[in-house]
Amino acid sequence: MSKKATEQISRWFTTSFRVRYQESDQMGVVYHANYLNWFEIGRTEMIRDLGFTYRGMEDAGVLLPVVDLDIHYSSPARYDDHVTIFTRMTNFSPLRIHYEYEVRRLSDEESMSSINGDKLPGERLVTGTTRHVWVNKDWKPTRLDKCVPKLYDALRSSLLGGKE
């Protein structure tokens, strides 16, 4: 496989929690900026599911700043809702990575086992995308395949679904 951008989409990675009181306003509605934090939680947990941590990436000398963000609000999350952040990679290269997110409210009856391709369980609340560039500690673009080849291989393998 060449090192140019991988055009495949990874599987969905998930993390769930209940909306905390401090994330909502007096009406019990989640403040809009909290969704950006939730996107970051989704990215962080996806990397963790692949066997890496952000701290480990930083110790290896790579950082992953957001360079572009797009977000669409469909319905508000509310205090004490059970929400799931679905996160997947939509584009990946040695220099860049793009993510897609869906924040969904799941009922007690809905389960994660009902993920079927692009059909996700629950009520869609927010969708979004972020684009990132791999940089070194001097904030210069860097190639992940050269700096942290094990992470590069894990991300690439996730996109390929184990197929080479």
Side-chain angles (χ1 to χ4, degrees):
M1 176 179 176
S2 77
K3 297 282 185 175
K4 53 186 239 189
T6 302
E7 296 295 334
Q8 297 182 12
I9 296 175
S10 76
R11 70 175 174 87
W12 287 107
F13 292 81
T14 62
T15 189
S16 299
F17 52 86
R18 291 222 173 258
V19 175
R20 294 162 291 268
Y21 184 78
Q22 71 269 18
E23 294 170 315
S24 62
D25 60 20
Q26 190 173 13
M27 297 176 291
V29 173
V30 170
Y31 180 67
H32 69 276
N34 283 306
Y35 295 100
L36 305 179
N37 292 326
W38 294 357
F39 287 2
E40 184 172 4
I41 290 168
R43 289 191 303 273
T44 301
E45 292 305 315
M46 185 199 95
I47 293 293
R48 189 178 313 281
D49 283 353
L50 293 173
F52 298 87
T53 64
Y54 264 67
R55 181 177 305 254
M57 288 173 20
E58 292 170 357
D59 289 347
V62 293
L63 306 171
L64 192 58
V66 174
V67 296
D68 188 43
L69 164 73
D70 188 38
I71 190 166
H72 299 275
Y73 301 95
S74 299
S75 185
R78 298 181 184 281
Y79 168 64
D80 208 35
D81 281 349
H82 182 252
V83 296
T84 298
I85 293 88
F86 293 85
T87 306
R88 67 181 175 182
M89 292 177 288
T90 59
N91 201 331
F92 174 69
S93 76
L95 295 171
R96 301 183 194 318
I97 189 167
H98 301 175
Y99 292 99
E100 177 181 14
Y101 313 87
E102 287 206 19
V103 177
R104 293 180 159 269
R105 179 177 20 247
L106 272 63
S107 69
D108 292 337
E109 297 80 38
E110 292 170 310
S111 74
M112 301 311 298
S113 62
S114 58
I115 296 175
N116 184 10
D118 282 336
K119 179 91 171 99
L120 300 175
E123 176 189 0
R124 182 179 61 211
L125 304 176
V126 172
T127 60
T129 60
T130 57
R131 294 185 321 155
H132 307 257
V133 175
W134 299 103
V135 298
N136 62 25
K137 290 185 178 184
D138 295 325
W139 287 81
K140 303 288 186 217
T142 191
R143 292 181 58 101
L144 185 64
D145 58 337
K146 304 293 185 209
C147 294
V148 191
K150 287 182 181 182
L151 176 58
Y152 175 82
D153 290 343
L155 290 168
R156 188 178 73 170
S157 178
S158 177
L159 275 172
L160 297 175
K163 300 175 209 143
E164 289 283 338

